[in-house]
Amino acid sequence: MKRRQYFLYTKKTKITTLFIIPLLCVSPNQRTEECKPCVSQLFIFCSVMLHLSQDVEALRGELCRKDEECREQERRLAALEQQVQERTGVIVQLQQQLEEAAQRRQELQLLRDGEETLSRQAALPLQVKYVTKTVEVESAQSKQALIEAQAHNQALQEQLSVQRQLLRELEQQLHESQRSSSQLRQQLSTDRSRLNGLLSKAVGGGNTEVTHRLSKILVYEGEMERAQGQLEAEMQSLEEEKNRVIEEAFIRAESEMKAVHENLAGVRMNLLTLQPALRTLTCDYNCLKRQVQDFPYMLEKAITEAKQEICQVIGEVSSANQELLRKYKREMNLRKKCHNELVRLKGNIRVLCRVRPVCAGETDAADTKNKVTFDPDDDAVLYLSNKGKLMTFELDKVFPTQATQEEVFQEVQSLVTSCIDGFNVCIFAYGQTGSGKTYTMEGVPEDPGINQRALRLLFSAVSEKKPDWDYKITVSMVEIYNETLRNLLGDNPNEKLDIKMCPDGSGQLYVPGLTEFTVESVEDINKVFDLGHMNRATACTNLNEHSSRSHALLIVTVAGFNSSTGHRTSGKLNLVDLAGSERITKSGAEGSRLREAQCINKSLSALGDVINALRSKHSHVPFRNSRLTYLLQDSLSGDSKTLMMVQVSPLESNVSESVCSLKFAQRVRSVEIGPSSSSRRQAESSSTSSSPTHDGVEIKLVKFREKMLKYNLENNLKFRE
Ligand code: ADP
Ligand code: MG
C-alpha cells in the first residue's frame, strides 16, 4: 500500500523516481527492519522535494508573470515612443509655426517699410492726385495687415495654450507610468528577496539542480533589471530631450511673440505718427479739391483769353501775310516785267550761230579755216569767205568751233528757266544736214546737249522752289515727217496724230492721243529719250537719212502750284531739231525724195514767215501753213520766247548752204520791230539814266536795224521761194 503511494509520488515527477528505485531493489524483510529510518528520512525528503517543486512551479508562474509585465513595460515603452514621435510631430508643427511667425515678422517689416515710404511721401511736396491715392491705399493696407497680424497672434496664443494643455496631460501620463514602474520595481525586489530566500534554502538543502535553475532565474532577472534600467535611462533621456525641445520651442515662441508684440507696438506708434500727416494731407487734399473744382472755370477763362490773344495774333499775322503776299505778287510782276523788258531788249526772237569743228577725215583743215572766221573783238560777228568775197554776218551771238556744250547751254539757260515762271519757249536748231543740229540738241552720251541739260536744270530749279511751289514736269516726243505728226513715246509710232482746237473755246490747241510722261530724275529722262529714239528708228529704214528729213520735237511742260498763294503757272519748252535745210534741186529729186524736199521747204519757209509776222506784229500770223508752226502756235505767239540756233559747217563744200543758213538767220533777226517798241526805245535812248547794258543793247539794235535795212534794199532778197 505504501509502495503504491510512493509509486504515485514517482508518477508526479521524474526526480522522485530516482529516489524510489533503491527501495524497490531491497528484499521485503530487509525493508521492514533496516530501512525503517531511511524510509522516514525519504518521506521527509520527498515532502521537502514536493514543496520545492511547488515552489519552483510558483516561481515559474511568477517568472511568466514577470515576462508578461516586461512585455507590458515594452508595450508602454512603445506607447511612450509613439508619444515621443507625436511630440516630435508637435515640435515640427511648432517649428512650422515659428517659421510662419518669422514670415509674419517679414510682413511686419514690409509694413514698416510701407510706413517709411508713407512718411517719406508725406515729406514730399504735395501732388494732388498721387499723394492722395497713395496715402489712402497704404493706410488701408497697413490696417488690414495689422488686423491680420493680430488675428495670427491670437491663433498662435491659442495654439500655445493647447500645446501647454497637451504637455500637462503628457506629464501626468508620465508620472503615472513612473509610479506604476516604481510599484513594479518594488514588487520585483520583494519577489527577488523571496526568491533569494528560497534559493538559500535550496542551497542549504544541497540540491544543485534547483540551485542551478534558481541562479538562472536570477541571471534572467538581472538581465531584465538591466534592460529595465536601460529602458528607464532611455526614457529619462527622452524625457529630458522632450523637455529641452519643448523648452526651446517655448522660448522661441515667446521671443517670436515678443517680437510680434514689439512690431505691433511699432506699427501702432507709426500709425499714431502717421495720423497727423494724414490729417495734413487730407486738409491739403480738400484744399486742392476745391482748387480743382475751381479749375474748369479758371481754365475756361484762360482759354477764352488765350483764344482772344491768338485771334488777335492770327489777325496780325494774316494782315502781315497779306501784305507780304501783296509785296510778293508785286515783286513777281516786277520780275516778269523786268524779264520781259530784258527779253524785249535782247529781242523776243534771238538768233545764235554755232560753227561745228572739222571732223576727222573731212577736207583739208587749212582750207577750211579760211572759209569761216570770227571777230576776236565781237562775238556776234562771223565772216564767211564765199567765192573770194568775205561776207559778214551779224547775229546775237556766234559760238566758234571750240565752244563747248556747256558754254552753249549757259547762253540758253535763262530761256529754259523762264518756262518755270509760265513762259512758253521754243529753241530751234536750224542748218543743213551734218552741220551739228543733233549734236547741239541731243549731244553725245558723254557730253549731252541742250535737251538733257535743260531738263536737269529744270529739276534743280524746281527743287529749289520747294516747298512753296510744287511742280510737275511732263515730256512728250513728236516727229513731223512729210507734214504728219508721229507720237514717238506711244505704243504705235506709225500712228498719225492730229492737231485740234480745244473744245472749251479757249482757242488752245492740243494733240489728241499724244503720250506724256512725267519725269522726276535723270534716269527718267534717259528712259524717255531711249524710247523716243527706238520708236523713231523702228519707223524708218535708215535713221540718219530719215532724221535729216524730219523735225524732232521734245515738248516739256512745267506746271507749278504755290500752295500758300494758290498761284498756278504753266510753261512749255519746245526743243526742236529741225530737218536739214539744204536745198534740193528740183530736177535731181523725184518721187518720195521730192515730196520730202517740198515738205521740208514748206515747213521751214512757214517757220520763217511766222517769225517774220510775229516780229513785225502783223495782225495775221500764218501758223496754219505748216504742221510745225501750227503745233508750236502757242509757244511762238504772245509773250513767248524763241531762240534759233543756226548751225554752220566750216567745210568749203558746204559754203553755199552755210550762206543760205546765215541769210535765213539774218532775215529772222532783222524783222522790223513794231513802231510802238521803236518809239519807246528812242525815248529810252534819249534818257540820261540808261544803264551801260541797256545802252550797249540799244546801240547794237540801232546798228543792226540800219544794216538790215541796207541789206534788204540792196538785195531785195526773198528767202526761200
Ligand atoms: P545734223 O544733226 O545737223 O545732221 P550732227 O549733229 O549729226 O548734224 O553732226 C554731224 C557730225 O558732226 C556728227 O558726227 C557730230 O558728232 C559732229 N559734230 C557736230 N557738231 C560738233 C561739235 N560742236 N563738236 C564736235 N563734233 C561735232
Ligand atoms: Mg541730225
Side-chain angles (χ1 to χ4, degrees), residues 19 90 106 176 196 203 207 219 335 339 445 539 600 670 681:
F19 298 106
V90 169
Q106 278 182 350
E176 276 170 21
N196 279 339
V203 172
N207 193 331
V219 168
R335 183 170 173 258
H339 185 83
I600 293 164
S670 65
R681 196 164 48 249

Side-chain angles (χ1 to χ4, degrees), residues 409 416 445 448-463 473 521-523 525-526:
F409 184 69
V416 170
I450 291 171
N451 289 5
Q452 195 173 106
R453 285 171 196 269
L455 279 162
R456 278 174 194 255
L457 180 67
L458 285 177
F459 289 147
S460 69
V462 298
S463 71
I473 301 175
S521 63
V522 179
E523 289 76 41
I525 308 168
N526 289 335

Side-chain angles (χ1 to χ4, degrees), residues 102-134:
Q103 214 172 335
R104 294 285 167 266
R105 202 165 51 180
Q106 278 182 350
E107 283 172 10
L108 273 167
Q109 184 61 37
L110 281 174
L111 267 175
R112 238 177 287 148
D113 290 349
E115 281 160 23
E116 277 174 24
T117 318
L118 267 176
S119 56
R120 270 205 302 281
Q121 281 170 354
L124 284 173
L126 290 174
Q127 289 176 8
V128 187
K129 284 182 185 173
Y130 178 72
V131 172
T132 305
K133 272 187 183 176
T134 311

Side-chain angles (χ1 to χ4, degrees), residues 20 163 175 228 248 286 301 365 401 416 456 482 708:
I20 293 165
Q163 290 297 323
H175 285 312
Q228 200 175 352
E248 275 175 16
N286 288 334
K301 201 175 150 193
T401 51
V416 170
R456 278 174 194 255
N482 279 355
M708 288 321 295

